[in-house]
Amino acid sequence: MLERICKANKLMDKACQTLGRDINVMEVCGTHTVSIFRSGIRSTLPKHLKLLSGPGCPVCVTDQGYIDLAIELAQRDDCILATYGDMIRVPGSDGSLETKNKNNVKVVLSAEDAIDLAKENPGKTVVFIAVGFETTTPATAVVVKEAAQAGLENFCVLCAHKLVLPAMEVLLSEKNDKIDAFLCPGHVSVIIGSKAYEPIAAKYRKPCVVAGFEPMQIIEGLAEICRQICEGQAEVNSIYDVAVTPQGNTIAQRIISDCFEVTDGWWRGIGKIPQSTLKLKSQYSKFDAYERFGLTEKPAEDKTGCRCGEVLCGLIEPFDCAMFGNKCTPQTPIGPCMVSSEGACAAWYKYGRKRKTS
Amino acid sequence: MCLAIPARIVELEGDKAVVDAMGNRFKAKTTLLENAKIGDLVLVHAGFAISKVEEEDARKTWNLIEELDSFQETDKKISG
């Protein structure tokens, strides 16, 4: 293992020398962010190899307007909200699901649990808070199909499932040109396949390397990026072959496209990204909470001064925000990147704060 | 949020499975896999198996989870 680490470090050093400036690698996925901090990888990297945390934590990129709608539904006596635990503390414009009528909010571990809740509570409508990237989306699609087959009338989903690729593209095309390469998410790639990144690698000339979440996978992923930079390449490569194939999980892809169509969507801190969000197809409209309750998602204006948007785009580090660590902490989070344990701010607060200030 | 953990299918009826991850047993569905069978190691995310994995990879992840658990215990003790 030591040999592999040394080899990886040599490649990293060489890339930094070749480029003669900082190399900025964005880890797109929140799970990578946490693994990088926990394992202490950052402190072993060459000084000029910088890691930026990207918009790959679904909690962090869910717009306040969506949280506001969820809170609005939680106020209704005829509804039960079923949500993954990550979402309950995320602040909307006024409070979170945890603080607003939490009796109507149930935490589920699986979309299937939401279906069970609906069967157990025939007098209420169960609204499933469907957030997450491509890893999580197939589960929602499966339960919507199940609900349709079973004729389950008291179940619907408030869908904000998002796609990783359009966000990566937005970061490259408008916001900044700081990013040199992407460390691509392992489990999203299980579903979409490593080939999915090829257009980005080709169009923007950025290496895209898929890695798993073990520290050694991350180190070797970074080394592969550095090798490509040294050799002037910009290719897609996966070092997580045990789970990721070039084509991805085609059954999951088919179920997603059976149920959903792609539409424009709001991302917290980034704004509207064209063709980046999923919406239930018309044949499933009766399971669409937007249709059932006549809701429209309006982007909420963030008045707190929170700079999570800039953090998500890799433009600033969490500690560049004036509220980081004083007004905004994991106990009193103001922005979503501090709420989610996979958010860049929470990870910096927990693992990187002392090092930064010392 | 997109973390999936490896687990072994120990019971299977249609697409409803019971899986075992480090001695913890829970329900998971195999709807997204072709030819899942008892004994297969799979990555499970939010109650769904999303891909098959090899024994060695599963073991590495389980070891890592164990390490993180002990790390978090220590972390709790230190930070009180």
Side-chain angles (χ1 to χ4, degrees):
Chain A
M1 191 183 201
L2 196 61
E3 204 175 303
R4 283 160 69 194
I5 294 175
C6 289
K7 193 177 159 206
N9 271 338
K10 272 190 196 141
L11 277 168
M12 291 179 200
D13 283 336
K14 195 173 161 200
C16 291
Q17 282 161 15
T18 307
L19 221 62
R21 60 165 174 82
D22 284 353
I23 299 175
N24 295 299
V25 176
M26 176 169 273
E27 87 268 2
V28 180
C29 174
T31 311
H32 271 148
T33 303
V34 171
S35 185
I36 286 165
F37 272 106
R38 278 182 173 158
S39 57
I41 287 175
R42 202 179 285 261
S43 61
T44 70
L45 301 178
K47 200 169 73 193
H48 293 290
L49 180 59
K50 309 271 187 215
L51 297 179
L52 308 170
S53 304
C57 153
V59 174
C60 303
V61 296
T62 300
D63 194 76
Q64 267 186 333
Y66 176 88
I67 308 285
D68 292 345
L69 288 181
I71 291 173
E72 192 182 313
L73 291 175
Q75 311 294 314
R76 295 174 61 118
D77 290 335
D78 57 350
C79 284
I80 295 175
L81 257 67
T83 176
Y84 294 123
D86 316 44
M87 291 302 291
I88 62 166
R89 293 185 64 217
V90 184
S93 303
D94 176 25
S96 66
L97 286 172
E98 190 180 40
T99 56
K100 296 276 177 177
N101 210 356
K102 61 181 172 190
N103 294 338
N104 289 349
V105 179
K106 303 276 182 234
V107 171
V108 292
L109 297 174
S110 158
E112 286 283 321
D113 296 345
I115 290 273
D116 291 342
L117 264 178
K119 287 177 184 162
E120 290 157 15
N121 296 278
K124 302 239 182 185
T125 299
V126 170
V127 184
F128 179 54
I129 301 300
V131 297
F133 289 103
E134 288 91 336
T135 329
T136 316
T137 311
T140 307
V142 170
V143 297
V144 166
K145 282 188 146 193
E146 272 179 24
Q149 271 161 13
L152 196 61
E153 298 287 331
N154 65 328
F155 175 79
C156 59
V157 300
L158 189 66
C159 180
H161 281 302
K162 292 195 158 35
L163 305 174
V164 163
L165 293 169
M168 288 168 67
E169 194 152 354
V170 156
L171 295 184
L172 292 173
S173 49
E174 0 174 315
K175 298 271 179 179
N176 65 53
D177 55 359
K178 211 170 149 186
I179 301 162
D180 294 305
F182 288 106
L183 187 68
C184 299
H187 293 151
V188 163
S189 307
V190 167
I191 305 295
I192 66 175
S194 54
K195 264 175 91 75
Y197 303 100
E198 280 177 1
I200 289 188
K203 185 172 173 190
Y204 299 96
R205 300 281 311 149
K206 307 286 179 188
C208 292
V209 175
V210 179
F213 299 105
E214 276 178 84
M216 202 57 224
Q217 279 269 317
I218 294 172
I219 290 171
E220 291 192 328
L222 292 172
E224 165 59 17
I225 285 171
C226 288
R227 184 198 64 77
Q228 291 195 27
I229 288 174
C230 286
E231 293 172 20
Q233 294 176 352
E235 291 172 355
V236 175
N237 201 344
S238 169
I239 57 159
Y240 193 34
D241 289 340
V242 284
V244 177
T245 60
Q247 285 73 30
N249 183 330
T250 50
I251 299 176
Q253 290 166 14
R254 203 165 47 239
I255 291 178
I256 293 175
S257 61
D258 279 353
C259 285
F260 295 104
E261 60 194 25
V262 182
T263 180
D264 300 348
W266 292 95
W267 293 55
R268 192 167 191 148
I270 298 177
K272 193 178 196 175
I273 304 183
Q275 302 292 294
S276 66
T277 300
L278 295 177
K279 171 182 188 296
L280 279 172
K281 281 188 170 168
S282 58
Q283 68 259 41
Y284 295 107
S285 61
K286 69 178 196 175
F287 298 101
D288 186 336
Y290 288 102
E291 300 277 339
R292 189 175 294 208
F293 298 105
L295 306 172
T296 326
E297 187 182 346
K298 293 182 245 12
E301 197 189 331
D302 192 337
K303 297 184 185 119
T304 59
C306 167
R307 298 181 71 187
C308 280
E310 291 162 88
V311 172
L312 294 172
C313 297
L315 294 170
I316 63 166
E317 296 280 17
F319 49 80
D320 294 325
C321 172
M323 295 192 292
F324 175 79
N326 45 63
K327 267 167 89 176
C328 185
T329 69
Q331 286 72 43
T332 55
I334 291 170
C337 298
M338 191 60 99
V339 175
S340 166
S341 60
E342 293 191 347
C345 295
W348 264 106
Y349 186 87
K350 190 163 183 199
Y351 303 107
R353 180 172 49 117
K354 292 195 184 95
R355 201 175 63 242
K356 189 69 206 167
T357 50
S358 62
Chain B
M1 184 168 179
C2 290
L3 188 63
I5 55 162
R8 191 183 304 280
I9 299 177
V10 290
E11 287 174 33
L12 185 64
E13 207 184 308
D15 62 354
K16 293 190 178 80
V18 174
V19 295
D20 183 300
M22 305 165 76
N24 299 308
R25 292 195 170 196
F26 51 94
K27 284 191 287 185
K29 294 196 81 173
T30 60
T31 329
L32 306 174
L33 295 182
E34 226 162 5
N35 305 323
K37 50 188 187 306
I38 290 177
D40 282 352
L41 276 166
V42 291
L43 280 178
V44 181
H45 170 77
F48 282 80
I50 56 169
S51 92
K52 292 186 187 176
V53 281
E54 298 295 326
E55 183 89 29
E56 194 197 333
D57 185 60
R59 206 153 292 287
K60 275 191 204 160
T61 311
W62 288 333
N63 289 344
L64 183 71
I65 292 170
E66 238 166 34
E67 239 173 76
L68 289 178
D69 276 352
S70 61
F71 172 76
Q72 277 176 339
E73 282 304 308
T74 322
D75 198 35
K76 269 185 217 153
K77 278 179 203 156
I78 293 171
S79 53

